[in-house]
Amino acid sequence: MKSPSPTTLPHAFRDAIEKRFPGARFDEPLSKHTTFKIGGPADVYVEPRTTAELTDAVRLADDHGVAITIIGGGSNLLILDSGVRGMILRLKGEFEEIAARPGSLLDSGAGVKLPKLIAWAGERGLGGSESLVGVPGTLGGSLIMNAGTREGEIGDLVREVRVLDRGALRVDVLSPRDLRFSYRASNLDGRLVVGALIELKAGKRDDIINRIREFQQSRLATQPVHTHNVGSTFKNPPGKFVGRLIEQAGLKGLRIGGARVSPVHANFVENLGRAKASDVLGIVESVRGKIRSEFGVELELEMRILGEP
Ligand code: EPU
């Protein structure tokens, strides 16, 4: 049985998508696609598996004036309760492939999860990215955010990024001189990242695997890894640790609806089971207000918000 036609999608677009992507899902709950397990529906959700499929999805959306958003692992995203209008894309298939290239280079699709990429590299004696093993997102999302830890950021390792040019519908290759990375930001925001060339360092397999394990263990000890969360809520303000400030303000364990400030790491918000996006936003506003009044510090969000307010 067909699901009812969403009102916001043009009928001709809906028909064309159903024909080209038989697996497309209409009114797809995005809570299924975020680590927070929060988020209202997407008008339509498509998983392109090849560059040709991605190009067709983008062309159809642009021809019909439908908005497109690519989501990665959904591990840094708060999707609002009213969901996202237009088409959500998640890159699968060839975008989840990794290949070794001469000179300690890895060619990876944007849909590869970072922990997989790092383990894959480690098995082949390629290191230098171990500290990023705790970042659960995809390579594409990590590049856009310049995901990182105190030991390093993904932007430091990038030798080339491939993006789909939406106007020309062709893949362009960006070199380091085209790219700007800063603390949790890049000039790839808003671009359709499809893959990248990552430069690692040759080393001893066992040493690299051990370092990966150490980073995993330290994360297990300091972060609420086994809860539904999206990692850091706020960026660290210059020269300060936001987790420490929130703890000092006495906000660990603060609960609004089904969401709470993690008792393990104060810069994490946990979904206790039935949290709404509005519960998380309530926590964000309470924490911001208290940190402003106690310390005179204005907090900036690290997690991304997607959807119609
Ligand atoms: N701290 C507290 N109370 C807390 C949490 C932390 O006092 O509840 C203190 C810690 O004791 C430590 C300091 O704050 O002295 C910093 O904490 P931590 O080492 O956990 O690092 P962070 O700055 O909070 C950053 C990244 C994390 C990354 C870790 C490990 C940001 C916003 N966060 O956290 O990234 O995993 O370093 O390198 O930069 C993410 O981006 O989603 C993420 C989790």
Side-chain angles (χ1 to χ4, degrees), residues 55-93:
T55 307
D56 283 352
V58 170
R59 181 176 48 75
L60 287 171
D62 285 348
D63 285 353
H64 292 88
V66 171
I68 308 170
T69 310
I70 297 191
I71 58 167
S75 56
N76 195 40
L77 270 186
L78 175 65
I79 296 186
L80 298 182
D81 300 317
S82 50
V84 184
R85 304 292 67 82
M87 178 159 61
I88 291 283
L89 299 173
R90 185 152 180 180
L91 303 180
K92 297 277 185 168

PDB file of all heavy atoms in Angstrom, residues 55-93:
ATOM      1  N   THR A  55      23.283  12.099  -8.488  1.00  0.00           N
ATOM      2  CA  THR A  55      23.092  13.161  -9.481  1.00  0.00           C
ATOM      3  C   THR A  55      21.622  13.246  -9.889  1.00  0.00           C
ATOM      4  O   THR A  55      21.061  14.341  -9.985  1.00  0.00           O
ATOM      5  CB  THR A  55      23.975  12.869 -10.714  1.00  0.00           C
ATOM      6  OG1 THR A  55      25.311  12.673 -10.244  1.00  0.00           O
ATOM      7  CG2 THR A  55      23.953  14.006 -11.708  1.00  0.00           C
ATOM      8  N   ASP A  56      20.990  12.102 -10.077  1.00  0.00           N
ATOM      9  CA  ASP A  56      19.567  12.102 -10.470  1.00  0.00           C
ATOM     10  C   ASP A  56      18.684  12.662  -9.356  1.00  0.00           C
ATOM     11  O   ASP A  56      17.747  13.414  -9.619  1.00  0.00           O
ATOM     12  CB  ASP A  56      19.102  10.684 -10.833  1.00  0.00           C
ATOM     13  CG  ASP A  56      19.593  10.271 -12.217  1.00  0.00           C
ATOM     14  OD1 ASP A  56      20.156  11.138 -12.926  1.00  0.00           O
ATOM     15  OD2 ASP A  56      19.425   9.090 -12.583  1.00  0.00           O
ATOM     16  N   ALA A  57      18.992  12.293  -8.119  1.00  0.00           N
ATOM     17  CA  ALA A  57      18.197  12.796  -6.991  1.00  0.00           C
ATOM     18  C   ALA A  57      18.304  14.319  -6.918  1.00  0.00           C
ATOM     19  O   ALA A  57      17.303  15.025  -6.755  1.00  0.00           O
ATOM     20  CB  ALA A  57      18.671  12.162  -5.679  1.00  0.00           C
ATOM     21  N   VAL A  58      19.522  14.823  -7.082  1.00  0.00           N
ATOM     22  CA  VAL A  58      19.748  16.270  -6.998  1.00  0.00           C
ATOM     23  C   VAL A  58      19.051  16.972  -8.173  1.00  0.00           C
ATOM     24  O   VAL A  58      18.386  18.000  -8.003  1.00  0.00           O
ATOM     25  CB  VAL A  58      21.270  16.563  -6.990  1.00  0.00           C
ATOM     26  CG1 VAL A  58      21.548  18.049  -7.154  1.00  0.00           C
ATOM     27  CG2 VAL A  58      21.896  16.039  -5.698  1.00  0.00           C
ATOM     28  N   ARG A  59      19.178  16.395  -9.356  1.00  0.00           N
ATOM     29  CA  ARG A  59      18.561  17.011 -10.548  1.00  0.00           C
ATOM     30  C   ARG A  59      17.042  17.066 -10.393  1.00  0.00           C
ATOM     31  O   ARG A  59      16.416  18.107 -10.627  1.00  0.00           O
ATOM     32  CB  ARG A  59      18.948  16.206 -11.798  1.00  0.00           C
ATOM     33  CG  ARG A  59      18.393  16.770 -13.103  1.00  0.00           C
ATOM     34  CD  ARG A  59      18.883  15.988 -14.315  1.00  0.00           C
ATOM     35  NE  ARG A  59      18.752  14.539 -14.171  1.00  0.00           N
ATOM     36  CZ  ARG A  59      17.612  13.859 -14.257  1.00  0.00           C
ATOM     37  NH1 ARG A  59      16.491  14.485 -14.521  1.00  0.00           N
ATOM     38  NH2 ARG A  59      17.584  12.553 -14.081  1.00  0.00           N
ATOM     39  N   LEU A  60      16.451  15.963  -9.942  1.00  0.00           N
ATOM     40  CA  LEU A  60      14.988  15.940  -9.774  1.00  0.00           C
ATOM     41  C   LEU A  60      14.543  16.976  -8.739  1.00  0.00           C
ATOM     42  O   LEU A  60      13.563  17.700  -8.943  1.00  0.00           O
ATOM     43  CB  LEU A  60      14.517  14.541  -9.339  1.00  0.00           C
ATOM     44  CG  LEU A  60      14.550  13.472 -10.432  1.00  0.00           C
ATOM     45  CD1 LEU A  60      14.282  12.085  -9.840  1.00  0.00           C
ATOM     46  CD2 LEU A  60      13.502  13.791 -11.508  1.00  0.00           C
ATOM     47  N   ALA A  61      15.266  17.049  -7.646  1.00  0.00           N
ATOM     48  CA  ALA A  61      14.893  18.020  -6.594  1.00  0.00           C
ATOM     49  C   ALA A  61      15.009  19.443  -7.134  1.00  0.00           C
ATOM     50  O   ALA A  61      14.094  20.257  -6.952  1.00  0.00           O
ATOM     51  CB  ALA A  61      15.788  17.831  -5.376  1.00  0.00           C
ATOM     52  N   ASP A  62      16.107  19.725  -7.814  1.00  0.00           N
ATOM     53  CA  ASP A  62      16.296  21.102  -8.306  1.00  0.00           C
ATOM     54  C   ASP A  62      15.272  21.439  -9.389  1.00  0.00           C
ATOM     55  O   ASP A  62      14.749  22.555  -9.438  1.00  0.00           O
ATOM     56  CB  ASP A  62      17.739  21.302  -8.798  1.00  0.00           C
ATOM     57  CG  ASP A  62      18.710  21.431  -7.623  1.00  0.00           C
ATOM     58  OD1 ASP A  62      18.221  21.603  -6.477  1.00  0.00           O
ATOM     59  OD2 ASP A  62      19.935  21.359  -7.830  1.00  0.00           O
ATOM     60  N   ASP A  63      14.952  20.470 -10.249  1.00  0.00           N
ATOM     61  CA  ASP A  63      13.950  20.717 -11.295  1.00  0.00           C
ATOM     62  C   ASP A  63      12.587  21.073 -10.698  1.00  0.00           C
ATOM     63  O   ASP A  63      11.818  21.806 -11.304  1.00  0.00           O
ATOM     64  CB  ASP A  63      13.757  19.464 -12.174  1.00  0.00           C
ATOM     65  CG  ASP A  63      14.916  19.274 -13.144  1.00  0.00           C
ATOM     66  OD1 ASP A  63      15.777  20.183 -13.219  1.00  0.00           O
ATOM     67  OD2 ASP A  63      14.971  18.214 -13.813  1.00  0.00           O
ATOM     68  N   HIS A  64      12.282  20.514  -9.500  1.00  0.00           N
ATOM     69  CA  HIS A  64      10.959  20.731  -8.909  1.00  0.00           C
ATOM     70  C   HIS A  64      10.998  21.687  -7.725  1.00  0.00           C
ATOM     71  O   HIS A  64      10.012  21.804  -6.983  1.00  0.00           O
ATOM     72  CB  HIS A  64      10.336  19.393  -8.475  1.00  0.00           C
ATOM     73  CG  HIS A  64       9.987  18.501  -9.640  1.00  0.00           C
ATOM     74  ND1 HIS A  64      10.874  17.611 -10.191  1.00  0.00           N
ATOM     75  CD2 HIS A  64       8.859  18.405 -10.371  1.00  0.00           C
ATOM     76  CE1 HIS A  64      10.306  16.981 -11.207  1.00  0.00           C
ATOM     77  NE2 HIS A  64       9.074  17.449 -11.340  1.00  0.00           N
ATOM     78  N   GLY A  65      12.131  22.330  -7.516  1.00  0.00           N
ATOM     79  CA  GLY A  65      12.230  23.309  -6.426  1.00  0.00           C
ATOM     80  C   GLY A  65      12.102  22.684  -5.042  1.00  0.00           C
ATOM     81  O   GLY A  65      11.594  23.309  -4.106  1.00  0.00           O
ATOM     82  N   VAL A  66      12.576  21.440  -4.901  1.00  0.00           N
ATOM     83  CA  VAL A  66      12.493  20.746  -3.608  1.00  0.00           C
ATOM     84  C   VAL A  66      13.845  20.861  -2.890  1.00  0.00           C
ATOM     85  O   VAL A  66      14.900  20.667  -3.506  1.00  0.00           O
ATOM     86  CB  VAL A  66      12.126  19.251  -3.837  1.00  0.00           C
ATOM     87  CG1 VAL A  66      12.252  18.441  -2.558  1.00  0.00           C
ATOM     88  CG2 VAL A  66      10.708  19.143  -4.406  1.00  0.00           C
ATOM     89  N   ALA A  67      13.809  21.187  -1.604  1.00  0.00           N
ATOM     90  CA  ALA A  67      15.056  21.325  -0.826  1.00  0.00           C
ATOM     91  C   ALA A  67      15.720  19.961  -0.637  1.00  0.00           C
ATOM     92  O   ALA A  67      15.035  18.938  -0.560  1.00  0.00           O
ATOM     93  CB  ALA A  67      14.741  21.928   0.535  1.00  0.00           C
ATOM     94  N   ILE A  68      17.063  19.972  -0.569  1.00  0.00           N
ATOM     95  CA  ILE A  68      17.815  18.727  -0.335  1.00  0.00           C
ATOM     96  C   ILE A  68      18.693  18.910   0.888  1.00  0.00           C
ATOM     97  O   ILE A  68      19.325  19.944   1.041  1.00  0.00           O
ATOM     98  CB  ILE A  68      18.831  18.445  -1.462  1.00  0.00           C
ATOM     99  CG1 ILE A  68      18.199  18.490  -2.821  1.00  0.00           C
ATOM    100  CG2 ILE A  68      19.569  17.159  -1.242  1.00  0.00           C
ATOM    101  CD1 ILE A  68      19.277  18.456  -3.903  1.00  0.00           C
ATOM    102  N   THR A  69      18.758  17.883   1.721  1.00  0.00           N
ATOM    103  CA  THR A  69      19.725  17.884   2.827  1.00  0.00           C
ATOM    104  C   THR A  69      20.382  16.512   2.850  1.00  0.00           C
ATOM    105  O   THR A  69      19.683  15.498   2.824  1.00  0.00           O
ATOM    106  CB  THR A  69      19.014  18.097   4.187  1.00  0.00           C
ATOM    107  OG1 THR A  69      18.148  19.223   4.077  1.00  0.00           O
ATOM    108  CG2 THR A  69      20.015  18.322   5.298  1.00  0.00           C
ATOM    109  N   ILE A  70      21.721  16.495   2.901  1.00  0.00           N
ATOM    110  CA  ILE A  70      22.404  15.212   3.104  1.00  0.00           C
ATOM    111  C   ILE A  70      22.641  15.064   4.593  1.00  0.00           C
ATOM    112  O   ILE A  70      23.131  16.001   5.240  1.00  0.00           O
ATOM    113  CB  ILE A  70      23.770  15.154   2.375  1.00  0.00           C
ATOM    114  CG1 ILE A  70      23.596  15.254   0.867  1.00  0.00           C
ATOM    115  CG2 ILE A  70      24.501  13.865   2.720  1.00  0.00           C
ATOM    116  CD1 ILE A  70      24.871  14.936   0.071  1.00  0.00           C
ATOM    117  N   ILE A  71      22.263  13.909   5.146  1.00  0.00           N
ATOM    118  CA  ILE A  71      22.673  13.653   6.530  1.00  0.00           C
ATOM    119  C   ILE A  71      23.731  12.560   6.506  1.00  0.00           C
ATOM    120  O   ILE A  71      23.746  11.692   5.624  1.00  0.00           O
ATOM    121  CB  ILE A  71      21.507  13.283   7.470  1.00  0.00           C
ATOM    122  CG1 ILE A  71      20.742  12.056   6.983  1.00  0.00           C
ATOM    123  CG2 ILE A  71      20.566  14.457   7.665  1.00  0.00           C
ATOM    124  CD1 ILE A  71      19.802  11.484   8.028  1.00  0.00           C
ATOM    125  N   GLY A  72      24.634  12.631   7.471  1.00  0.00           N
ATOM    126  CA  GLY A  72      25.671  11.597   7.565  1.00  0.00           C
ATOM    127  C   GLY A  72      25.209  10.555   8.562  1.00  0.00           C
ATOM    128  O   GLY A  72      24.125   9.993   8.435  1.00  0.00           O
ATOM    129  N   GLY A  73      26.015  10.332   9.601  1.00  0.00           N
ATOM    130  CA  GLY A  73      25.665   9.345  10.603  1.00  0.00           C
ATOM    131  C   GLY A  73      24.551   9.814  11.533  1.00  0.00           C
ATOM    132  O   GLY A  73      24.099   9.059  12.380  1.00  0.00           O
ATOM    133  N   GLY A  74      24.137  11.077  11.401  1.00  0.00           N
ATOM    134  CA  GLY A  74      23.105  11.615  12.294  1.00  0.00           C
ATOM    135  C   GLY A  74      23.610  11.698  13.727  1.00  0.00           C
ATOM    136  O   GLY A  74      22.830  11.705  14.674  1.00  0.00           O
ATOM    137  N   SER A  75      24.945  11.765  13.882  1.00  0.00           N
ATOM    138  CA  SER A  75      25.513  11.676  15.231  1.00  0.00           C
ATOM    139  C   SER A  75      25.839  13.047  15.814  1.00  0.00           C
ATOM    140  O   SER A  75      26.382  13.133  16.917  1.00  0.00           O
ATOM    141  CB  SER A  75      26.769  10.801  15.201  1.00  0.00           C
ATOM    142  OG  SER A  75      27.682  11.320  14.269  1.00  0.00           O
ATOM    143  N   ASN A  76      25.533  14.101  15.066  1.00  0.00           N
ATOM    144  CA  ASN A  76      25.771  15.449  15.599  1.00  0.00           C
ATOM    145  C   ASN A  76      24.539  16.319  15.361  1.00  0.00           C
ATOM    146  O   ASN A  76      24.636  17.539  15.339  1.00  0.00           O
ATOM    147  CB  ASN A  76      26.999  16.047  14.887  1.00  0.00           C
ATOM    148  CG  ASN A  76      27.548  17.257  15.610  1.00  0.00           C
ATOM    149  OD1 ASN A  76      27.607  17.266  16.838  1.00  0.00           O
ATOM    150  ND2 ASN A  76      27.891  18.285  14.874  1.00  0.00           N
ATOM    151  N   LEU A  77      23.397  15.662  15.172  1.00  0.00           N
ATOM    152  CA  LEU A  77      22.202  16.359  14.687  1.00  0.00           C
ATOM    153  C   LEU A  77      21.048  16.305  15.657  1.00  0.00           C
ATOM    154  O   LEU A  77      20.628  15.218  16.081  1.00  0.00           O
ATOM    155  CB  LEU A  77      21.690  15.661  13.423  1.00  0.00           C
ATOM    156  CG  LEU A  77      22.171  16.070  12.049  1.00  0.00           C
ATOM    157  CD1 LEU A  77      21.373  15.295  11.017  1.00  0.00           C
ATOM    158  CD2 LEU A  77      22.037  17.570  11.836  1.00  0.00           C
ATOM    159  N   LEU A  78      20.491  17.487  15.952  1.00  0.00           N
ATOM    160  CA  LEU A  78      19.194  17.532  16.618  1.00  0.00           C
ATOM    161  C   LEU A  78      18.177  17.870  15.535  1.00  0.00           C
ATOM    162  O   LEU A  78      18.189  18.971  14.988  1.00  0.00           O
ATOM    163  CB  LEU A  78      19.169  18.599  17.716  1.00  0.00           C
ATOM    164  CG  LEU A  78      17.791  18.780  18.365  1.00  0.00           C
ATOM    165  CD1 LEU A  78      17.365  17.513  19.123  1.00  0.00           C
ATOM    166  CD2 LEU A  78      17.769  19.982  19.311  1.00  0.00           C
ATOM    167  N   ILE A  79      17.324  16.911  15.206  1.00  0.00           N
ATOM    168  CA  ILE A  79      16.284  17.159  14.205  1.00  0.00           C
ATOM    169  C   ILE A  79      15.002  17.521  14.952  1.00  0.00           C
ATOM    170  O   ILE A  79      14.603  16.827  15.894  1.00  0.00           O
ATOM    171  CB  ILE A  79      16.102  15.931  13.286  1.00  0.00           C
ATOM    172  CG1 ILE A  79      17.415  15.719  12.502  1.00  0.00           C
ATOM    173  CG2 ILE A  79      14.919  16.149  12.329  1.00  0.00           C
ATOM    174  CD1 ILE A  79      17.385  14.650  11.456  1.00  0.00           C
ATOM    175  N   LEU A  80      14.405  18.637  14.543  1.00  0.00           N
ATOM    176  CA  LEU A  80      13.257  19.169  15.287  1.00  0.00           C
ATOM    177  C   LEU A  80      12.033  18.256  15.131  1.00  0.00           C
ATOM    178  O   LEU A  80      11.950  17.445  14.205  1.00  0.00           O
ATOM    179  CB  LEU A  80      12.959  20.599  14.849  1.00  0.00           C
ATOM    180  CG  LEU A  80      14.117  21.581  15.129  1.00  0.00           C
ATOM    181  CD1 LEU A  80      13.756  23.002  14.722  1.00  0.00           C
ATOM    182  CD2 LEU A  80      14.540  21.547  16.601  1.00  0.00           C
ATOM    183  N   ASP A  81      11.085  18.408  16.070  1.00  0.00           N
ATOM    184  CA  ASP A  81       9.936  17.495  16.139  1.00  0.00           C
ATOM    185  C   ASP A  81       9.036  17.582  14.904  1.00  0.00           C
ATOM    186  O   ASP A  81       8.358  16.623  14.554  1.00  0.00           O
ATOM    187  CB  ASP A  81       9.130  17.785  17.407  1.00  0.00           C
ATOM    188  CG  ASP A  81       9.977  17.600  18.668  1.00  0.00           C
ATOM    189  OD1 ASP A  81      10.728  16.598  18.708  1.00  0.00           O
ATOM    190  OD2 ASP A  81       9.915  18.439  19.577  1.00  0.00           O
ATOM    191  N   SER A  82       9.042  18.764  14.234  1.00  0.00           N
ATOM    192  CA  SER A  82       8.192  18.915  13.044  1.00  0.00           C
ATOM    193  C   SER A  82       8.871  18.331  11.795  1.00  0.00           C
ATOM    194  O   SER A  82       8.271  18.309  10.717  1.00  0.00           O
ATOM    195  CB  SER A  82       7.876  20.391  12.826  1.00  0.00           C
ATOM    196  OG  SER A  82       9.081  21.118  12.876  1.00  0.00           O
ATOM    197  N   GLY A  83      10.097  17.873  11.939  1.00  0.00           N
ATOM    198  CA  GLY A  83      10.765  17.203  10.822  1.00  0.00           C
ATOM    199  C   GLY A  83      11.379  18.160   9.824  1.00  0.00           C
ATOM    200  O   GLY A  83      11.549  19.344  10.099  1.00  0.00           O
ATOM    201  N   VAL A  84      11.702  17.628   8.637  1.00  0.00           N
ATOM    202  CA  VAL A  84      12.433  18.393   7.629  1.00  0.00           C
ATOM    203  C   VAL A  84      11.663  18.329   6.319  1.00  0.00           C
ATOM    204  O   VAL A  84      11.310  17.236   5.848  1.00  0.00           O
ATOM    205  CB  VAL A  84      13.858  17.813   7.420  1.00  0.00           C
ATOM    206  CG1 VAL A  84      14.635  18.671   6.446  1.00  0.00           C
ATOM    207  CG2 VAL A  84      14.600  17.722   8.750  1.00  0.00           C
ATOM    208  N   ARG A  85      11.391  19.507   5.760  1.00  0.00           N
ATOM    209  CA  ARG A  85      10.685  19.536   4.474  1.00  0.00           C
ATOM    210  C   ARG A  85      11.666  19.248   3.338  1.00  0.00           C
ATOM    211  O   ARG A  85      12.842  19.580   3.421  1.00  0.00           O
ATOM    212  CB  ARG A  85      10.027  20.916   4.247  1.00  0.00           C
ATOM    213  CG  ARG A  85       9.068  21.369   5.354  1.00  0.00           C
ATOM    214  CD  ARG A  85       7.791  20.522   5.410  1.00  0.00           C
ATOM    215  NE  ARG A  85       7.961  19.135   5.817  1.00  0.00           N
ATOM    216  CZ  ARG A  85       8.059  18.734   7.077  1.00  0.00           C
ATOM    217  NH1 ARG A  85       8.008  19.588   8.068  1.00  0.00           N
ATOM    218  NH2 ARG A  85       8.223  17.451   7.359  1.00  0.00           N
ATOM    219  N   GLY A  86      11.140  18.611   2.294  1.00  0.00           N
ATOM    220  CA  GLY A  86      11.959  18.298   1.141  1.00  0.00           C
ATOM    221  C   GLY A  86      12.562  16.907   1.238  1.00  0.00           C
ATOM    222  O   GLY A  86      11.995  16.005   1.873  1.00  0.00           O
ATOM    223  N   MET A  87      13.724  16.745   0.623  1.00  0.00           N
ATOM    224  CA  MET A  87      14.333  15.411   0.501  1.00  0.00           C
ATOM    225  C   MET A  87      15.570  15.284   1.385  1.00  0.00           C
ATOM    226  O   MET A  87      16.445  16.146   1.358  1.00  0.00           O
ATOM    227  CB  MET A  87      14.724  15.181  -0.963  1.00  0.00           C
ATOM    228  CG  MET A  87      15.405  13.840  -1.193  1.00  0.00           C
ATOM    229  SD  MET A  87      15.326  13.291  -2.906  1.00  0.00           S
ATOM    230  CE  MET A  87      16.204  14.589  -3.721  1.00  0.00           C
ATOM    231  N   ILE A  88      15.606  14.203   2.139  1.00  0.00           N
ATOM    232  CA  ILE A  88      16.804  13.869   2.919  1.00  0.00           C
ATOM    233  C   ILE A  88      17.537  12.766   2.171  1.00  0.00           C
ATOM    234  O   ILE A  88      16.931  11.776   1.741  1.00  0.00           O
ATOM    235  CB  ILE A  88      16.414  13.360   4.329  1.00  0.00           C
ATOM    236  CG1 ILE A  88      15.835  14.489   5.175  1.00  0.00           C
ATOM    237  CG2 ILE A  88      17.594  12.710   5.013  1.00  0.00           C
ATOM    238  CD1 ILE A  88      16.829  15.456   5.756  1.00  0.00           C
ATOM    239  N   LEU A  89      18.853  12.952   2.024  1.00  0.00           N
ATOM    240  CA  LEU A  89      19.674  11.949   1.351  1.00  0.00           C
ATOM    241  C   LEU A  89      20.671  11.375   2.345  1.00  0.00           C
ATOM    242  O   LEU A  89      21.235  12.110   3.162  1.00  0.00           O
ATOM    243  CB  LEU A  89      20.459  12.592   0.199  1.00  0.00           C
ATOM    244  CG  LEU A  89      19.640  13.221  -0.918  1.00  0.00           C
ATOM    245  CD1 LEU A  89      20.564  13.959  -1.887  1.00  0.00           C
ATOM    246  CD2 LEU A  89      18.856  12.149  -1.664  1.00  0.00           C
ATOM    247  N   ARG A  90      20.870  10.076   2.258  1.00  0.00           N
ATOM    248  CA  ARG A  90      21.938   9.450   3.035  1.00  0.00           C
ATOM    249  C   ARG A  90      22.753   8.596   2.071  1.00  0.00           C
ATOM    250  O   ARG A  90      22.185   7.749   1.368  1.00  0.00           O
ATOM    251  CB  ARG A  90      21.348   8.617   4.158  1.00  0.00           C
ATOM    252  CG  ARG A  90      22.391   8.049   5.050  1.00  0.00           C
ATOM    253  CD  ARG A  90      21.877   7.843   6.426  1.00  0.00           C
ATOM    254  NE  ARG A  90      22.926   7.280   7.256  1.00  0.00           N
ATOM    255  CZ  ARG A  90      22.764   6.990   8.530  1.00  0.00           C
ATOM    256  NH1 ARG A  90      21.628   7.211   9.108  1.00  0.00           N
ATOM    257  NH2 ARG A  90      23.750   6.493   9.215  1.00  0.00           N
ATOM    258  N   LEU A  91      24.054   8.843   2.010  1.00  0.00           N
ATOM    259  CA  LEU A  91      24.904   8.203   1.000  1.00  0.00           C
ATOM    260  C   LEU A  91      25.264   6.781   1.408  1.00  0.00           C
ATOM    261  O   LEU A  91      25.818   6.562   2.483  1.00  0.00           O
ATOM    262  CB  LEU A  91      26.172   9.033   0.780  1.00  0.00           C
ATOM    263  CG  LEU A  91      25.937  10.489   0.375  1.00  0.00           C
ATOM    264  CD1 LEU A  91      27.279  11.208   0.179  1.00  0.00           C
ATOM    265  CD2 LEU A  91      25.089  10.590  -0.892  1.00  0.00           C
ATOM    266  N   LYS A  92      24.958   5.838   0.544  1.00  0.00           N
ATOM    267  CA  LYS A  92      25.242   4.416   0.808  1.00  0.00           C
ATOM    268  C   LYS A  92      26.032   3.844  -0.368  1.00  0.00           C
ATOM    269  O   LYS A  92      26.493   4.579  -1.235  1.00  0.00           O
ATOM    270  CB  LYS A  92      23.916   3.666   0.973  1.00  0.00           C
ATOM    271  CG  LYS A  92      23.097   4.135   2.160  1.00  0.00           C
ATOM    272  CD  LYS A  92      23.572   3.474   3.423  1.00  0.00           C
ATOM    273  CE  LYS A  92      22.692   3.833   4.602  1.00  0.00           C
ATOM    274  NZ  LYS A  92      22.941   3.026   5.762  1.00  0.00           N
ATOM    275  N   GLY A  93      26.124   2.517  -0.439  1.00  0.00           N
ATOM    276  CA  GLY A  93      26.723   1.846  -1.601  1.00  0.00           C
ATOM    277  C   GLY A  93      28.157   2.285  -1.847  1.00  0.00           C
ATOM    278  O   GLY A  93      29.014   2.169  -0.971  1.00  0.00           O
TER     279      GLY A  93
END
